[in-house]
Amino acid sequence: MGFREVGLSESEYKRITELLGREPNALELELVGVMWSEHCSYKSTRPLLRTYPSKGRYVLQGQGENAGVVDMGEGWGFAFKVESHNHPSAVAPFQGAATGVGGIIRDIIAMGARPSVSMDGLFFGDANLCKTRNLAKGIVEGIGAYGNAVGVPVVGGKTFYSPAYNDNPLVNAFSAGFVRLDKMASSQTAKPGDCAVLLGSKTGRDGIAGASFASRELDEDARASKPQIQIGDPFEEKLLIECCLELLDKNMIASMQDMGAAGILSSSSEIAHKSGCGIDIFVEKIPLREADMLSWEIFLSESQERMLLIVEKEKLAPVFATAKHYGLDCAAVGEMTEGKRYRVYRNGALEADLPTSILGSAPELSWPAEEPKDMPERRAIDLSTLASEDPAKELTTMLSCPNGRRKDAIWEQYDSMVQLHTIAGPGEPAAVVEVPKTRRACVLTMEAEPYKCWTDPYCGAAETMALALRGLWLTGADTLGMTNCLNFASPEQPDKFYELKECVRGLADSCRALDCPVVSGNVSLYNETASGRIYPTPLVVAAGLVIDREKITRSGRTKDGDYIYTVGKIEGSLSSSRYQSRKSGKPLGKTVEPDFEAEKNFRERAIKTARAQAADSGRVIAGGGLATALANEAIASGVGMEITLAPEKSVESLLFSEGGARAIYAVAPEKAAEFERIWQGFPLTKAGRAGGRGFAWKDILNVPLSELEKAFSGEE
């Protein structure tokens, strides 16, 4: 087998021979080829990811572990991470999505946390295509089947439709869990003499070389890729969760690593490299489903529901006994050593002998970046083409379009209440869950703005990050940190690498300015097919902390007689908005420039508002603009509104423009003075009043609330 067949370039192969001082044998070449794949090594993005701020007031564990961990107070940590399962879901929707959920849950277990929360970021193609409906059906069913069976609630997410994802849907799975601080686990604490123990399913031929599969464009003949899809078993995963947590509780585990991409190879080499050890693996001791598996197949298999434990020798017996209690396979397959060598033995013969550093430190790649030649065309916009002759009709269309309508058909397939700690679940702009045995709450928001990142990667990414944070602040939460999934096309094309580089710069600048450390994440590149590429799609999940969960501002709680206020500028930008993209058939125009001072002023006042309980309800202005935010609030609250705001630029800009630190609030008359005091010094407008069963906007539109509800339900 040649180096190109394992995904290595000629220069990379030359570098390997220099480091080894010899030619690698066939197994060694396979091992290095996978560990140097884009999916395992992040060789194209490590320099970019280093620009993220990593330190913060609440950060206990940042990037470099299976998941980030932040301090929730009262002895609790919160581990969280998002990662992609795009390619597998494109060719096998049900299993691809299901194993994406299982994989990210094991990252949370590996930190010693009990998985408590799931969210999903789904990007589907044209909603009118039968192909999209079939892919979406399989993906949603896969997420529901795995998540419901394993007993982790899905509390929210984001679903986005665009033809750009017709052949390459995206599935970004988020998981999080709570851990007592004295029970946190690590993949960096193995020491020579400890035993390497495989816990969980036997190793089979499913998912072999899945990491390499995820590091290239999708094949036109997707069927050829199906053997590389993993098969999940949520009931085995549930046993694995309980067994690992019991072993951690009894201090039986010295170190632990999830078996994700590149299976035994990546987990064992990473734990050795991070711990500064070597490791000897004895192949004949690995439990197999098929006895005739070759060594490279065993090491590159991505069979699911497996964990690598590092156990002190004197604790092996109780570990085996606990595994037996749960009915799980458990075998000591190797030993940590001095010397920083990764050695593979099979029946006494040495089959591979590599320095751990060669597996853990692939050379970085520096791709050229060049602004796309069609960027001026992407940014050009003729606002006169966006004029509306019937604003009422435009509003109902915005509510009924695939990106605007209710997503109950998806959420109803998920169990959002299992574990009984969900305060706000699917359908609300921010998910809220209880911190165990405290009055505290954790708030989560998931956002992505592909249209805006397409026409201006820097500003689009900055707006994405700010939008996620506004959602936290509005509830009254302090920022704990964020995790992100970077979904992009090939980095090898200068124009596409430019988009990636600028998006990361936008996220990094926003996080730095707004005190939001990046604690974990994932990169998914080569999201393109022969028929096209996806939009630049950085997805972020922001986490926040509320000390008193009785003092949270939620949406959908507007009461009859409340004053309706807008905070922030009345109008944002129509460029790359949901309204503009629908009217023009594609996103055009540059979104708003980031204004970090305005964001900080918004943050201060939004948190004060929540803690003072000065508003009955609140909602950030996001996709679809002010009119959509007000209509969604009226629908969720079951109460009409009379709005008196007049346009500054145009009716369309007033109703549907997006971007910037803006929100709506519903405030009881007796609290209006306090609310206005809190927002003094920030743009504030009394926009109208809640009441009745109609949605009226002075001199612009008048629609019965029932018609808005029908539109939002997709009935027209």
Side-chain angles (χ1 to χ4, degrees):
M1 178 174 286
F3 62 83
R4 288 191 176 85
E5 292 174 80
V6 299
L8 293 167
S9 67
E10 187 171 354
S11 62
E12 288 175 330
Y13 182 73
K14 183 180 177 185
R15 179 62 179 155
I16 291 166
T17 58
E18 289 172 355
L19 290 170
L20 291 178
R22 60 177 172 82
E23 300 282 329
N25 65 34
L27 176 59
E28 291 169 340
L29 190 60
E30 287 274 7
L31 302 186
V32 178
V34 170
M35 290 306 293
W36 284 23
S37 69
E38 188 67 54
H39 193 71
C40 286
S41 71
Y42 289 24
K43 57 189 174 185
S44 295
T45 53
R46 289 208 304 270
L48 302 180
L49 300 179
R50 282 198 290 271
T51 65
Y52 280 152
S54 58
K55 298 186 184 304
R57 174 184 170 193
Y58 296 100
V59 177
L60 298 173
Q61 176 61 59
Q63 298 183 65
E65 270 287 0
N66 290 286
V69 184
V70 291
D71 190 351
M72 304 298 290
E74 300 189 42
W76 287 100
F78 186 66
F80 65 103
K81 184 183 180 184
V82 63
E83 68 179 15
S84 65
H85 229 225
N86 300 335
H87 284 43
S89 302
V91 298
F94 183 94
Q95 287 296 345
T99 54
V101 174
I104 192 67
I105 283 176
R106 290 193 296 280
D107 279 322
I108 302 308
I109 302 170
M111 300 309 297
R114 174 174 289 281
S116 307
V117 174
S118 286
M119 299 172 77
D120 51 81
L122 306 176
F123 298 82
F124 297 135
D126 184 342
N128 295 315
L129 295 180
C130 182
K131 177 180 180 179
T132 297
R133 290 195 291 273
N134 287 336
L135 279 169
K137 180 175 184 292
I139 287 168
V140 172
E141 287 180 352
I143 292 170
Y146 203 103
N148 294 347
V150 83
V152 179
V154 178
V155 299
K158 183 174 184 70
T159 306
F160 185 86
Y161 293 89
S162 164
Y165 306 96
N166 278 349
D167 295 323
N168 197 144
L170 303 182
V171 176
N172 290 181
F174 170 87
S175 188
F178 295 101
V179 55
R180 295 300 298 175
L181 297 185
D182 59 352
K183 297 297 180 185
M184 278 177 58
S186 170
S187 62
Q188 304 177 29
T189 48
K191 58 185 185 303
D194 289 346
C195 295
V197 174
L198 280 184
L199 177 69
S201 299
K202 290 182 172 64
T203 298
R205 284 196 166 95
D206 50 321
I208 288 177
S212 297
F213 168 55
S215 301
R216 58 183 169 85
E217 297 171 15
L218 281 166
D219 296 334
E220 279 191 279
D221 181 7
R223 290 179 182 278
S225 303
K226 279 200 171 182
Q228 294 166 328
I229 303 304
Q230 309 91 333
I231 308 297
D233 180 350
F235 301 104
E236 185 87 351
E237 181 103 334
K238 178 61 175 170
L239 294 171
L240 196 62
I241 292 171
E242 298 305 329
C243 184
C244 287
L245 293 179
E246 182 173 333
L247 291 171
L248 283 166
D249 191 53
K250 294 178 178 176
N251 297 317
M252 293 294 168
I253 300 174
S255 189
M256 183 161 55
Q257 176 80 31
D258 157 52
M259 277 192 201
I264 293 172
L265 168 63
S266 67
S267 59
S268 56
S269 63
E270 284 178 14
I271 215 164
H273 184 56
K274 290 178 183 176
S275 300
C277 301
I279 187 168
D280 290 346
I281 302 282
F282 307 102
V283 179
E284 68 277 8
K285 295 184 178 180
I286 298 173
L288 302 177
R289 290 183 196 152
E290 299 161 79
D292 62 342
M293 289 181 71
L294 302 174
S295 294
W296 74 269
E297 293 178 309
I298 295 168
F299 275 77
L300 303 192
S301 165
E302 295 183 8
S303 292
Q304 298 292 287
E305 291 86 33
R306 299 179 300 166
M307 296 290 286
L308 178 66
L309 312 182
I310 303 301
V311 180
E312 295 170 358
K313 284 183 179 175
E314 58 271 25
K315 295 180 178 176
L316 275 178
V319 168
F320 288 143
T322 305
K324 184 178 180 182
H325 170 75
Y326 285 98
L328 294 171
D329 280 309
C330 186
V333 301
E335 182 174 333
M336 307 307 297
T337 65
E338 304 277 2
K340 301 182 181 179
R341 305 294 297 185
Y342 189 89
R343 292 185 294 224
V344 176
Y345 293 90
R346 191 161 195 173
N347 298 319
L350 180 62
E351 292 192 332
D353 184 0
L354 298 165
T356 54
S357 59
I358 201 172
L359 296 170
S361 302
E364 294 177 356
L365 293 178
S366 179
W367 300 107
E370 181 180 316
E371 183 175 289
K373 289 185 171 52
D374 67 342
M375 191 58 82
E377 181 185 328
R378 295 185 199 178
R379 289 177 179 163
I381 184 169
D382 180 359
L383 293 175
S384 67
T385 63
L386 303 180
S388 170
E389 295 181 357
D390 187 347
K393 180 64 178 173
E394 299 285 8
L395 176 58
T396 55
T397 302
M398 293 293 288
L399 292 173
S400 64
C401 72
N403 286 327
R405 75 176 62 137
R406 194 190 299 272
K407 304 296 190 302
D408 294 35
I410 295 176
W411 300 329
E412 287 175 352
Q413 298 186 49
Y414 304 151
D415 189 337
S416 63
M417 297 305 294
V418 64
Q419 297 192 21
L420 301 176
H421 59 205
T422 304
I423 298 172
E428 295 211 29
V432 186
V433 295
E434 298 174 359
V435 179
K437 301 175 182 176
T438 72
R439 291 182 58 80
R440 298 169 181 243
C442 180
V443 183
L444 297 164
T445 56
M446 175 181 279
E447 296 293 350
E449 291 280 1
Y451 290 160
K452 296 178 176 64
C453 291
W454 171 249
T455 57
D456 191 299
Y458 177 82
C459 290
E463 171 62 17
T464 302
M465 190 65 244
L467 180 59
L469 292 174
R470 287 173 213 140
L472 292 185
W473 301 332
L474 185 134
T475 66
D478 281 328
T479 307
L480 293 166
M482 80 89 144
T483 181
N484 65 136
C485 194
L486 303 175
N487 305 281
F488 286 83
S490 168
E492 300 174 28
Q493 301 299 315
D495 57 338
K496 295 171 184 172
F497 189 67
Y498 171 89
E499 295 168 352
L500 169 59
K501 188 176 179 182
E502 285 297 286
C503 278
V504 171
R505 188 168 71 87
L507 291 176
D509 282 357
S510 299
C511 287
R512 196 173 296 107
L514 301 175
D515 310 309
C516 179
V518 183
V519 302
S520 60
N522 171 255
V523 181
S524 173
L525 305 180
Y526 300 97
N527 287 292
E528 52 191 299
T529 66
S531 62
R533 42 76 55 93
I534 65 165
Y535 288 135
T537 312
L539 175 137
V540 304
V541 181
L545 170 66
V546 173
I547 301 296
D548 183 353
R549 60 178 180 244
E550 298 300 319
K551 295 183 177 178
I552 295 174
T553 300
R554 296 175 61 179
S555 62
R557 278 150 178 75
T558 297
K559 296 173 182 169
D560 201 331
D562 279 354
Y563 291 130
I564 304 298
Y565 287 89
T566 64
V567 298
K569 294 179 180 177
I570 296 296
E571 298 179 16
S573 171
L574 282 171
S575 297
S576 302
S577 64
R578 186 182 297 169
Y579 176 80
Q580 177 278 315
S581 299
R582 188 189 62 78
K583 293 281 279 190
S584 308
K586 59 182 178 181
L588 291 171
K590 179 179 177 178
T591 189
V592 296
E593 294 276 351
D595 183 345
F596 298 131
E597 284 307 308
E599 301 289 352
K600 291 176 188 175
N601 288 328
F602 177 93
R603 173 178 64 188
E604 176 190 346
R605 290 161 176 81
I607 292 174
K608 278 184 182 175
T609 300
R611 292 179 182 171
Q613 291 289 279
D616 285 333
S617 192
R619 184 178 292 260
V620 165
I621 297 173
L626 174 59
T628 301
L630 289 167
N632 282 333
E633 180 63 22
I635 293 167
S637 303
V639 60
M641 292 183 184
E642 290 188 6
I643 305 299
T644 55
L645 280 179
E648 294 175 345
K649 300 173 188 170
S650 67
V651 169
E652 299 77 34
S653 181
L654 172 65
L655 299 183
F656 304 121
S657 62
E658 300 174 9
R662 304 190 297 151
I664 60 170
Y665 280 100
V667 180
E670 62 271 22
K671 292 194 174 180
E674 182 182 11
F675 180 80
E676 291 180 7
R677 266 197 309 276
I678 291 172
W679 285 92
Q680 196 169 20
F682 196 80
L684 172 71
T685 307
K686 188 180 285 184
R689 198 141 190 190
R693 290 293 298 169
F695 187 81
W697 202 306
K698 185 181 178 184
D699 299 330
I700 296 177
L701 57 82
N702 192 345
V703 187
L705 191 55
S706 57
E707 283 193 25
L708 297 184
E709 290 167 342
K710 280 176 61 179
F712 189 50
S713 299
E715 295 177 22
E716 63 177 30

